[in-house]
Amino acid sequence: EVWATKWWPTRQFTFLCSVAEVNAVNSRACGRKANTDPQLTFRRNLAVEMMENKIGINLPRPPSPVATRSKRKVVGHEKRKHPIHTGAWDNVKGTWK
């Protein structure tokens, strides 16, 4: 399919849309670890999904689970503070320089 126009901004817009479309097809195939869809098939599916868009429609959402904070301590871990006016951490010795 070709969108024939001589108006330069429209040509640039259609070029950028085509690039974005190709990137979307390739990214989706890469994410699914599958082959890419034919371009025309992808365009038709994209157009149908855009026409049947549900953005802005308030649908009931399932409640989110309550996040609880775990207060487990890691055995053998000790939080150390950098002493005042001391050097940098020595990875070999495991102490402050």
Side-chain angles (χ1 to χ4, degrees):
E1 292 179 40
V2 177
W3 186 3
T5 181
K6 292 186 178 185
W7 196 48
W8 189 246
T10 303
R11 285 185 176 194
Q12 289 177 329
F13 176 72
T14 56
F15 171 75
L16 293 175
C17 285
S18 299
V19 170
E21 183 180 12
V22 169
N23 287 342
V25 170
N26 291 334
S27 296
R28 189 174 82 174
C30 182
R32 293 179 176 178
K33 294 181 174 66
N35 294 331
T36 57
D37 290 341
Q39 197 75 16
L40 189 57
T41 304
F42 178 79
R43 282 183 177 184
R44 285 183 182 149
N45 292 340
L46 179 64
V48 168
E49 288 178 15
M50 289 174 75
M51 288 188 293
E52 297 172 355
N53 189 352
K54 302 284 188 229
I55 293 177
I57 298 173
N58 294 330
L59 299 174
R61 296 182 182 169
S64 300
V66 177
T68 58
R69 189 171 188 168
S70 175
K71 294 186 178 183
R72 289 180 268 155
K73 289 189 176 185
V74 178
V75 178
H77 176 74
E78 179 184 333
K79 185 176 179 180
R80 296 183 186 178
K81 287 192 175 183
H82 186 288
I84 298 174
H85 302 296
T86 57
W89 181 258
D90 186 359
N91 287 326
V92 177
K93 294 179 183 176
T95 59
W96 297 103
K97 294 181 183 176

